Amino acid sequence: MNLISSISKSVLLFTTLILISCNKDSTNDEITLSYQYLADKTWYLDYSQTDSLIKTYIGQSTYFINFIKDRKTIDSDGFSGTYSVEKINNQLQIHVQAVTKQLNPIEYIYNIESIGSKHLVLSYTTGGTKTTLFYSIK
């Protein structure tokens, strides 16, 4: 009986070690890929959705944001600063620390809902209300 118990424990330990050693953390890959998709593009806001209210900006002079390769950012409101991509609680996020035209500091965080080479979907929640922002490059 002790031999069977000893073998069972050894098999369980071996299996656990194999599973742990084969588990690849993809967080760094996701963050690196997000930086590659974001960088050196002008992202134009096409429309936003808050609850069931959709506002479209297609064909209009609209909000845009540039994420530069050196991790600096500037937008059409005149905010400039730095950005970083992080994964918090299994959610990719863009953290922006910037200053306004009047040099007042501002910090904001967007959840990355979807990111690709030509489309970007971000969201944020204020007062329990979620707003989703849909961007594209032109």
Side-chain angles (χ1 to χ4, degrees), residues 17 21 28 31 34 36 47-48 53 58 61 76 84 94 102:
L17 288 174
S21 65
N28 287 336
I31 290 172
S34 295
Q36 290 172 357
Y47 59 98
S48 66
L53 178 64
I58 295 175
S61 178
S76 58
S84 62
I94 300 174
Q102 295 78 25

Side-chain angles (χ1 to χ4, degrees), residues 28-92:
N28 287 336
D29 293 341
E30 289 178 285
I31 290 172
T32 300
L33 188 58
S34 295
Y35 277 120
Q36 290 172 357
Y37 280 140
L38 286 172
D40 292 337
K41 295 178 184 169
T42 300
W43 293 96
Y44 294 92
L45 180 62
D46 292 327
Y47 59 98
S48 66
Q49 181 175 2
T50 303
D51 293 329
S52 61
L53 178 64
I54 296 175
K55 292 182 183 178
T56 184
Y57 303 97
I58 295 175
Q60 301 177 40
S61 178
T62 186
Y63 176 81
F64 68 83
I65 188 166
N66 287 317
F67 294 106
I68 304 165
K69 195 173 256 179
D70 65 359
R71 304 206 179 149
K72 291 184 180 169
T73 183
I74 190 164
D75 68 16
S76 58
D77 291 335
F79 296 176
S80 62
T82 60
Y83 72 98
S84 62
V85 177
E86 299 176 6
K87 192 167 187 178
I88 309 289
N89 295 326
N90 211 29
Q91 173 68 59
L92 281 172

Side-chain angles (χ1 to χ4, degrees), residues 93-128:
Q93 298 178 331
I94 300 174
H95 292 231
V96 176
Q97 292 184 323
V99 293
T100 65
K101 288 180 183 178
Q102 295 78 25
L103 301 178
N104 296 318
I106 186 168
E107 181 175 3
Y108 52 93
I109 299 170
Y110 291 121
N111 290 328
I112 300 174
E113 302 291 334
S114 173
I115 189 168
S117 60
K118 295 183 179 183
H119 298 281
L120 174 65
V121 181
L122 304 176
S123 70
Y124 64 91
T125 303
T126 303

